[in-house]
């Protein structure tokens, strides 16, 4: 459906509803190299969900970047590759008590939450981030808690998450697609509840069913553009 070099005998990859995205990554890889496919099949850069296994594994899109990058559309995501159905957008930031607030809005322009960026202290190298979803405690990212990648996602608190699923997300882009280097793994908590696990700014594992995926998408959009 979206692939640039899909084999004629391979079925199209359908869009996954964003509400059903439990693990996703930003990548242009639709199908990894496997079997007779010597090179990864690429499509448009999007938020993609790993599905299937082995030679049947695909990375199905669930949210799309603007089809034509522009200053006006850079802070917006869509439900379709053509950019006809808005999914969510970010307002221009507002500085509030030393924090930079980015309001996140749905397709109708209604607020669904806020992403906060807190400038680093003198001894810190990077800013910290908060995700605010109405009706729930503030979601706070941890400091660096693992450096080894997907295995630590499982071994250090991913609970019932299967290693195979974590590896599927981590493998996105390993063959011919986007290839981010190994990054720190963070856990995001609301109080004592683990809500989200992320590796770098591109790979995410949702742990709490109540999390509005569009807020995770918006955070990733801010970090990666």
């Amino acid at each position: 459906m979206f692939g640039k070099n899909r084999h004629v005998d391979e079925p199209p990859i359908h869009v996954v509803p964003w509400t059903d995205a439990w693990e996703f990554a930003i990548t242009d890889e639709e199908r990894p190299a496997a079997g007779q496919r010597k090179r990864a099949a690429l499509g448009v850069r999007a938020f993609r969900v790993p599905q299937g296994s082995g030679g049947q594994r695909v990375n199905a899109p669930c949210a799309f970047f603007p089809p034509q990058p522009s200053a006006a559309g850079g802070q917006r995501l869509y439900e379709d590759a053509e950019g006809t159905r808005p999914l969510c957008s970010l307002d221009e930031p507002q500085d509030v008590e030393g924090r930079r607030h980015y309001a996140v809005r749905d397709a109708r322009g209604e607020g669904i939450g806020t992403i906060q960026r807190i400038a680093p202290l003198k001894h810190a190298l990077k800013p910290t981030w908060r995700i605010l979803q109405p009706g729930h405690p503030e979601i706070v990212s941890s400091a660096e808690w693992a450096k080894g990648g997907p295995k630590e996602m499982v071994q250090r608190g991913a609970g019932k998450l299967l290693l195979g699923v974590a590896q599927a997300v981590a493998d996105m882009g390993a063959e011919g697609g986007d290839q981010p280097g190994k990054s720190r793994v963070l856990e995001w908590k609301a109080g004592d509840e683990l809500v989200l696990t992320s590796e770098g700014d591109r790979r995410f594992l949702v742990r709490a069913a109540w999390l509005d995926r569009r807020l995770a998408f918006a955070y990733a959009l801010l970090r990666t553009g």
Side-chain angles (χ1 to χ4, degrees), residues 24-27 45 47 169 178 180 199-204 220 224:
F24 49 88
I26 298 175
T27 181
R45 181 170 173 262
F47 288 82
V169 178
D178 297 326
E199 184 184 2
D201 305 322
R202 294 173 178 264
R203 300 163 180 162
F204 300 85
T224 63

Side-chain angles (χ1 to χ4, degrees), residues 7-163:
H7 291 238
V8 294
D9 59 339
E10 292 177 325
I13 299 175
H14 297 287
V15 176
V16 173
W18 62 267
T19 52
D20 295 338
W22 286 86
E23 58 273 347
F24 49 88
I26 298 175
T27 181
D28 60 357
E29 182 184 279
E30 289 193 336
R31 290 181 169 88
Q36 295 183 348
R37 191 187 308 109
K38 304 304 180 183
R39 299 180 60 186
L42 306 182
V44 297
R45 181 170 173 262
F47 288 82
R48 294 180 177 273
V49 176
Q51 295 184 321
S53 60
Q56 302 302 313
R57 206 187 91 198
V58 299
N59 299 322
C62 63
F64 296 87
F65 292 91
Q68 299 295 331
S70 68
Q75 299 294 82
R76 188 179 300 272
L77 294 172
Y78 296 87
E79 293 190 60
D80 63 321
E82 295 73 26
T84 62
R85 290 186 289 129
L87 174 59
C88 63
S89 62
L90 284 155
D91 285 356
E92 290 296 317
Q94 302 292 324
D95 289 326
V96 181
E97 297 181 350
R99 297 187 179 190
R100 181 162 291 186
H101 289 224
Y102 297 84
V104 184
R105 301 187 181 277
D106 64 14
R108 297 173 297 180
E110 299 293 332
I112 57 175
T114 305
I115 311 296
Q116 293 185 0
R117 179 187 185 276
I118 304 172
L121 299 175
K122 292 183 179 180
H123 63 275
L125 297 178
K126 297 182 179 181
T128 54
W129 296 80
R130 305 285 187 270
I131 298 175
L132 282 72
Q133 180 173 330
H136 297 277
E138 183 179 63
I139 304 170
V140 181
S141 68
S142 70
E144 182 172 344
W145 65 280
K147 298 182 179 180
K151 287 185 179 180
E152 282 71 10
M153 285 187 180
V154 178
Q155 294 170 353
R156 295 178 180 258
K160 297 179 181 179
L161 181 68
L162 297 178
L163 177 58

